[in-house]
Amino acid sequence: MSTTTTREHVLAEADRLARTFAERAAAHDREASFPHDNYADLAEAGILRMSVPEELGGLGGGLPEVVGVLERIASGDGSTALSLAMHISPLGQWASVWRRTGDERLAGLLRRAAEGRLVWAALTAERGMANRMTDATTIARRTDGGYVLTGRKIFATNSAIATDFSTTARFEDAEGGPRLLLCAVSMDSPGIRVHPTWDTLGMRSTRSDDLELDGVFVPESAVVHSLPVGHLDRRVMETVWAWAMPAFASVYTGIANGALRWTADRLVGAGQATDPVVQDAVGHCRMLLESSRAVIHRHVEEVVSRSLHALDVQEAMARCITVKHLAAHNATEILQRLAEVNGGAAFGRALPFERMWRDVQAGPIMPMGSIAARRFVGATELGVEVAPVAP
């Protein structure tokens, strides 16, 4: 962003909207309804185009602004923040690539987003397939002018509102061996069907339903990248992993912060502020929260300075994965400790704490899942190659 004033304005708008979204969150959660009203407010406030370059009609925000906005929105409604992350994080990724390459295809997508004609979704998760961006069960078959995709994606966050999405497919017959294709697809393409499968413990209003691709045509020009199956990839690390992991981390940190502030206000109002057990729990939670923020912002600095990109691909991925893992587990620990001092107030659905507790349970499950993340980081520390790096 060009000025400190603009950045402060966007963060102030996020704070304002978080309060509004908190008032709507219970109804959307209970009904598992996508928050179209919240998205309309986000668009009006300029937040949906905040990570689009100013030259292309956006506000020019980068990763520092993205994580700040997501934490603030999540303090009011975690589902809305997670849905928002699936839009503004990919736009920021493309913006960083466009600034280096001037790629006109990316410029066209970013202009559409700035004009309010594009809402994005990143749909790569598949049942039975670890979501490492190294393989897919969705199949790509060569045809005149492009490919035909057949498969099914799960956890399709934003499928209720997206105009376009990115997805992955395995092209078995590529020269030199199978390749993973990263494709941009229009949601109104023939052969796309959303199945209403989303009935979950938390993050209910993300409407992360299943999305089926039944012979969906993708032109050659919409294949934005490809890599050998089973390989790590520098471009994927510099975009998807470097941006998505702090974005997810900020969402769960924001939910935890919202729960901490709500709990502190309730305990003060109940005259329990001098209780040493309460002070111990609240102090511990504040320390966990600040440790998450410290790791997120260190990571952001490494992305902005590109020092992360100078590392070996596996080492850089391990650092990205660590950010999300730490923040997600800190968030679940914070909510557990606060539940102990909230007592019955943590259990009733009439109060927001119970929803926040359910929402943070999604954090450790999201990619990279906790066990896979620890194994990846452990192998990296021990000097063990997880997978070859794409040439």
Side-chain angles (χ1 to χ4, degrees):
M1 294 186 174
S2 59
T3 67
T4 302
T5 301
T6 304
R7 180 176 189 274
E8 290 176 348
H9 171 74
V10 170
L11 294 178
E13 285 292 278
D15 280 328
R16 178 182 66 82
L17 290 176
R19 293 189 289 273
T20 299
F21 298 168
E23 296 172 359
R24 300 170 179 166
H28 283 304
D29 173 75
R30 193 175 294 275
E31 298 163 6
S33 57
F34 189 84
H36 291 281
D37 45 0
N38 293 351
Y39 252 69
D41 289 344
L42 289 166
E44 184 177 357
I47 289 176
L48 293 186
R49 60 187 178 93
M50 59 163 291
S51 53
V52 174
E54 290 177 287
E55 307 95 303
L56 302 179
L59 301 183
L63 189 54
E65 289 75 30
V66 166
V67 298
V69 164
L70 290 175
E71 181 180 328
R72 285 160 171 79
I73 296 295
S75 69
D77 182 8
S79 285
T80 296
L82 186 58
S83 297
L84 177 63
M86 300 298 186
H87 172 73
I88 61 174
S89 173
L91 295 185
Q93 295 165 31
W94 303 340
S96 66
V97 175
W98 175 78
R99 288 189 179 99
R100 296 198 308 273
T101 66
D103 187 327
E104 190 52 39
R105 291 183 304 172
L106 291 178
L109 289 171
L110 291 164
R111 287 191 188 98
R112 284 178 57 205
E115 294 164 1
R117 296 187 295 113
L118 178 145
V119 176
W120 201 258
L123 311 183
T124 57
E126 297 174 332
R127 191 166 282 105
M129 174 69 69
N131 196 1
R132 295 190 182 187
M133 300 290 289
T134 57
D135 201 356
T137 59
T138 297
I139 299 301
R141 179 175 56 82
R142 204 73 164 95
T143 191
D144 290 344
Y147 299 86
V148 172
L149 273 53
T150 301
R152 187 164 176 142
K153 303 295 181 178
I154 61 173
F155 299 133
T157 304
N158 268 15
S159 56
I161 196 170
T163 62
D164 301 80
F165 62 94
S166 54
T167 196
T168 51
R170 180 183 176 117
F171 178 41
E172 194 70 34
D173 299 325
E175 185 177 350
R179 295 187 72 84
L180 183 71
L181 309 184
L182 280 64
C183 310
V185 185
S186 173
M187 188 63 85
D188 61 6
S189 300
I192 290 176
R193 181 183 175 192
V194 176
H195 297 270
T197 54
W198 193 243
D199 185 14
T200 52
L201 175 74
M203 292 296 187
R204 290 174 53 78
S205 63
T206 63
R207 289 306 318 173
S208 301
D209 292 305
D210 287 11
L211 182 137
E212 181 182 4
L213 301 104
D214 183 12
V216 175
F217 175 69
V218 174
E220 186 81 51
S221 60
V223 178
V224 296
H225 187 49
S226 74
L227 59 135
V229 162
H231 285 61
L232 306 181
D233 183 82
R234 179 166 292 280
R235 181 169 168 183
V236 173
M237 180 278 292
E238 292 185 1
T239 52
V240 178
W241 292 105
W243 282 70
M245 294 301 97
F248 296 161
S250 296
V251 169
Y252 293 102
T253 300
I255 298 170
N257 185 50
L260 177 57
R261 294 312 319 147
W262 182 85
T263 299
D265 289 345
R266 193 192 73 79
L267 293 171
V268 169
Q272 294 178 265
T274 59
D275 185 328
V277 174
V278 166
Q279 292 175 351
D280 174 74
V282 170
H284 184 205
C285 291
R286 173 55 59 187
M287 291 174 183
L288 290 171
L289 190 69
E290 294 305 327
S291 70
S292 294
R293 285 173 170 163
V295 172
I296 291 168
H297 289 287
R298 184 196 70 179
H299 177 86
V300 168
E301 290 172 3
E302 291 178 344
V303 172
V304 171
S305 70
R306 295 188 63 80
S307 61
L308 179 77
H309 307 333
L311 300 175
D312 170 83
V313 172
Q314 182 173 321
E315 182 181 354
M317 278 186 60
R319 291 178 76 83
C320 298
I321 292 163
T322 297
V323 176
K324 175 262 172 182
H325 183 280
L326 178 72
H329 282 270
N330 279 355
T332 60
E333 185 173 356
I334 288 168
L335 270 290
Q336 183 60 43
R337 288 230 63 191
L338 294 177
E340 294 172 355
V341 294
N342 272 311
F347 201 60
R349 297 198 69 183
L351 299 175
F353 186 91
E354 177 266 352
R355 170 178 48 82
M356 296 174 180
W357 181 88
R358 286 187 288 105
D359 282 349
V360 298
Q361 306 310 313
I365 298 168
M366 290 187 69
M368 189 177 285
S370 293
I371 295 173
R374 290 191 294 268
R375 289 190 61 191
F376 192 103
V377 173
T380 304
E381 185 68 20
L382 294 166
V384 176
E385 182 181 78
V386 173
V389 175

